[in-house]
C-alpha cells in the first residue's frame, strides 16, 4: 500500500497512524458471489407486492436492511411506510425466493484474501446487512475456521443498518479495536459510506455492475476490480510483514 494513500486517510480523519489489527469483511458480493441472486429475488418479490424495482436498482440499495429497502419503495409506490406485517411478509418471501436460487458460489479470490489476513495475525469479522438465518452455517461451510459467532455483525444486531456507521462501529467494538486499527472490505456504495462514516480505512472491490466511481465517490480509500485482484496485490501479507 503506498504511503500516499495512507497519508490521505490519516489526514481525512485526523488520525496519526494506521495500525491494522482487524479486517471487517462485508459478506454478499465480497465473500460470496450472491448479489445476482439477491438482486433478482428482491426485484421479483417487490414487483409481486406492487413495489416495482429493477434488478439494477437492487444493486444501488445493496447493504441496506430489508426493512429500509422496503420502506423506500413503499413511500415511492404507496405514499406511506410499510406496516410491520407487510415488511415481514415481503422479507419472508424474499428469503424464500433467495433460498430457492442455486447456491451462490464463493467469490473467486476471497479465500486467498482471508488466508493472507489470517496469516498476518489480523482478527477477521463479518459485518453484513443480511438478517438471514444460518449466516454462520454458510460462512462455516464456505470458509471453515475463519469466523466465530461473536465476530459476525448482522442486521439483527443493529438498530440502523448501512449506510449508517452503526454496523461497522459495532464491528470495531466486537473486534476490540479503534477505527485506525481496522480495515474494511466492501463492494457496495452504501457499505462504503457506512465504513467511511465509522472512520475505517475502506477497500472497495467492485464485484457488481455499477461503475467504480460509485464506490470512490462514497470515500473508498482503495479500489480493486475484484477480490482476486485484491489477493494478487498481497495487501494483507504486506501488513503482516510490518
Ligand atoms: Ca455487499
Amino acid at each position: 500500500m503506498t504511503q500516499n494513500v495512507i497519508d490521505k486517510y490519516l489526514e481525512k480523519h485526523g488520525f496519526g497512524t494506521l495500525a491494522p489489527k482487524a479486517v471487517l469483511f462485508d459478506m454478499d458480493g465480497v465473500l460470496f458471489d450472491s448479489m445476482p441472486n439477491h438482486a433478482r429475488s428482491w426485484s421479483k418479490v417487490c414487483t409481486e407486492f406492487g413495489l416495482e424495482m429493477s434488478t439494477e436498482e437492487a444493486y444501488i440499495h445493496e447493504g441496506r436492511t430489508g426493512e429500509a429497502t422496503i420502506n423506500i419503495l413503499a413511500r415511492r409506490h404507496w405514499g406511506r411506510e410499510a406496516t410491520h406485517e407487510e415488511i415481514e411478509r415481503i422479507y419472508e418471501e424474499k428469503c424464500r425466493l433467495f433460498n430457492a436460487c442455486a447456491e451462490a458460489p464463493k467469490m473467486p479470490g476471497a479465500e486467498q484474501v482471508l488466508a493472507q489476513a489470517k496469516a498476518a495475525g489480523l482478527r477477521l469479522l463479518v459485518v453484513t446487512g443480511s438478517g438471514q438465518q444460518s449466516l454462520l452455517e454458510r460462512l462455516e461451510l464456505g470458509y471453515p475456521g475463519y469466523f466465530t459467532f461473536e465476530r459476525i455483525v448482522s442486521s439483527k444486531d443493529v438498530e440502523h443498518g448501512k449506510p449508517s456507521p452503526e454496523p461497522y462501529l459495532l464491528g470495531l467494538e466486537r473486534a476490540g479495536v479503534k477505527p485506525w486499527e481496522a480495515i474494511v472490505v466492501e463492494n457496495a456504495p452504501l457499505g462504503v459510506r457506512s465504513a467511511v462514516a465509522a472512520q475505517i480505512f475502506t477497500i472497495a472491490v467492485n464485484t457488481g455492475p455499477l461503475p467504480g466511481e460509485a464506490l470512490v465517490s462514497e470515500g473508498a480509500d482503495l479500489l480493486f476490480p475484484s477480490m482476486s485482484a485484491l489477493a494478487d496485490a498481497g495487501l494483507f501479507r504486506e501488513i503482516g510483514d510490518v
Side-chain angles (χ1 to χ4, degrees):
M1 210 188 315
T2 64
Q3 192 58 39
N4 182 28
V5 171
I6 297 172
D7 287 345
K8 256 198 202 154
Y9 162 80
L10 296 176
E11 195 181 323
K12 183 163 63 174
H13 298 289
F15 296 150
T17 178
L18 174 66
K21 293 181 181 162
V23 190
L24 281 51
F25 290 92
D26 173 51
M27 186 173 73
D28 293 296
V30 168
L31 298 178
F32 295 98
D33 191 7
S34 43
M35 275 313 295
N37 287 349
H38 277 294
R40 269 198 305 273
S41 306
W42 268 121
S43 168
K44 186 152 187 266
V45 72
C46 286
T47 302
E48 260 170 34
F49 277 81
L51 298 173
E52 198 180 333
M53 173 171 68
S54 66
T55 51
E56 291 74 22
E57 187 182 347
Y59 280 97
I60 293 170
H61 292 301
E62 182 183 352
R64 283 193 208 283
T65 61
E67 179 176 351
T69 303
I70 291 164
N71 268 327
I72 286 172
L73 297 168
R75 283 195 293 272
R76 184 194 307 159
H77 291 283
W78 298 342
R80 62 170 175 85
E81 302 253 302
T83 64
H84 183 68
E85 288 71 31
E86 285 166 339
I87 290 169
E88 219 162 66
R89 275 175 54 211
I90 295 170
Y91 194 63
E92 250 174 44
E93 178 63 8
K94 188 262 162 179
C95 292
R96 198 187 63 76
L97 284 178
F98 178 78
N99 290 330
C101 294
E103 194 165 343
K106 286 158 64 171
M107 186 63 79
E111 185 140 29
Q112 287 117 283
V113 172
L114 290 177
Q116 288 171 8
K118 193 177 180 184
L122 298 163
R123 281 160 233 170
L124 310 184
L125 288 90
V126 167
V127 178
T128 175
S130 173
Q132 305 225 13
Q133 296 296 336
S134 71
L135 275 180
L136 182 61
E137 210 174 291
R138 268 182 75 202
L139 284 165
E140 196 50 42
L141 267 176
Y143 301 101
Y146 283 106
F147 301 103
T148 58
F149 180 72
E150 310 78 60
R151 290 188 173 175
I152 298 173
V153 176
S154 82
S155 69
K156 291 178 181 156
D157 299 312
V158 295
E159 192 178 335
H160 303 288
K162 302 171 190 177
S164 155
E166 191 184 337
Y168 279 112
L169 291 174
L170 183 59
L172 291 175
E173 195 182 310
R174 291 204 176 158
V177 298
K178 301 291 183 196
W180 59 87
E181 294 173 325
I183 291 179
V184 163
V185 182
E186 256 292 347
N187 75 305
L190 297 180
V192 170
R193 194 190 301 174
S194 166
V196 170
Q199 300 188 294
I200 306 170
F201 188 95
T202 304
I203 299 174
V205 284
N206 193 12
T207 61
L210 302 177
E213 177 51 29
L215 297 161
V216 172
S217 65
E218 293 289 356
D221 296 284
L222 277 177
L223 173 67
F224 288 91
S226 64
M227 284 297 276
S228 299
L230 175 58
D232 291 345
L235 215 74
F236 295 119
R237 248 195 333 255
E238 200 180 295
I239 288 166
D241 291 339
V242 171

